[in-house]
Amino acid sequence: MPATILLIDDHAMFREGLFLALREAEPSMTVATARNGAEALEALATLPRLDAVMTDYYLPDLGGAALLAELHRRRSGLRILVLSASEDPQDIDTALDAGAQGFVHKSADSQQLMDALRRVMAGEQNVVQASPAGAVMLPVLSTPTDALSTLTGRQSEVLQLLCEGLRNAEIALRLTTSEKTIKAHISAIFGALGVTSRTQAVIAARRAGMLGRPR
């Protein structure tokens, strides 16, 4: 019987591209889509048969280990393949511990992705296609809020807006200040979190419970 897959990702272009790639690789496959955790749970109720879920790990509402746990609570034995732009090896361990059967970095090509999906659907555990060789890994904070607690109120606001995907000019406009000031705040944020990029800063913030996702 043709497989039914639920694809969850809040980035429209990535979701639509992956939908087309899955249908091209397996024309008989039924692919349902959801933009966030809430839509995914609604879709789950309408799919009497579901072979696997492919989900982004960071979603704007319910995501991460909490979403994986809720999917398993509502559909016992569900096979889950996590897709993520995260470069943090701890996210891989957390996702697998929370019930995912596989974890694929979003840099993977369509062949690698389909291979991982087939292996997960075939019953394999711990199917991992991690970030590319040489990628810089995010340092593990001793506690989720250690570094964030050292930020000033304005730095926390800037980090929140980074999590929402805003550019420096947009953040400056939102906070009625200059881009130069925003750049100074971002440099201070990087130093406090021990990261070197906006993506890593967003990942660290998400691990501490802030909204937003890596772009």
Side-chain angles (χ1 to χ4, degrees):
M1 185 179 296
T4 299
I5 305 297
L6 175 59
L7 171 61
I8 312 167
D9 197 288
D10 68 312
H11 193 286
M13 289 184 66
F14 182 85
R15 185 177 65 249
E16 292 164 7
L18 186 52
F19 174 89
L20 294 174
L22 290 171
R23 292 299 305 272
E24 182 177 353
E26 294 287 348
S28 63
M29 179 183 291
T30 298
V31 183
T33 62
R35 295 177 297 177
N36 52 47
E39 280 193 7
L41 296 179
E42 291 176 4
L44 201 65
T46 68
L47 297 169
R49 178 172 180 265
L50 184 60
D51 296 282
V53 168
M54 301 178 68
T55 181
D56 190 354
Y57 197 57
Y58 289 110
L59 294 167
D61 56 348
L62 177 65
L67 176 60
L68 302 189
E70 186 62 21
L71 288 171
H72 277 300
R73 188 185 74 80
R74 299 193 182 200
R75 191 71 63 92
S76 178
L78 189 61
R79 311 294 295 176
I80 300 176
L81 177 62
V82 169
L83 309 175
S84 182
S86 172
E87 296 172 349
D88 186 351
Q90 188 175 16
D91 281 343
I92 299 176
D93 294 337
T94 302
L96 297 178
D97 288 344
Q101 283 69 46
F103 189 104
V104 176
H105 193 270
K106 283 189 173 180
S107 63
D109 60 34
S110 58
Q111 184 175 349
Q112 291 171 319
L113 182 60
M114 286 304 303
D115 176 66
L117 177 60
R118 291 186 181 106
R119 290 168 62 190
V120 163
M121 291 175 62
E124 286 192 43
Q125 297 287 129
N126 302 328
V127 178
V128 175
Q129 171 66 45
S131 56
V136 178
M137 296 302 180
L138 179 68
V140 176
L141 305 180
S142 56
T143 66
T145 57
D146 272 355
L148 294 182
S149 66
T150 69
L151 300 180
T152 66
R154 181 46 62 97
Q155 288 167 359
S156 294
E157 288 180 294
V158 171
L159 180 55
Q160 178 65 62
L161 294 174
L162 285 178
C163 288
E164 294 176 16
L166 272 64
R167 298 181 176 87
N168 289 0
E170 295 170 320
I171 296 174
L173 183 63
R174 180 79 65 88
L175 299 180
T176 61
T177 188
S178 68
E179 282 191 62
K180 183 177 180 180
T181 298
I182 296 304
K183 289 178 181 178
H185 284 315
I186 291 174
S187 294
I189 290 167
F190 285 3
L193 299 183
V195 301
T196 58
S197 73
R198 296 165 75 97
T199 296
Q200 291 181 350
V202 170
I203 291 169
R206 280 306 311 267
R207 284 179 52 204
M210 279 191 174
L211 295 180
R213 65 189 296 276
R215 294 292 176 183

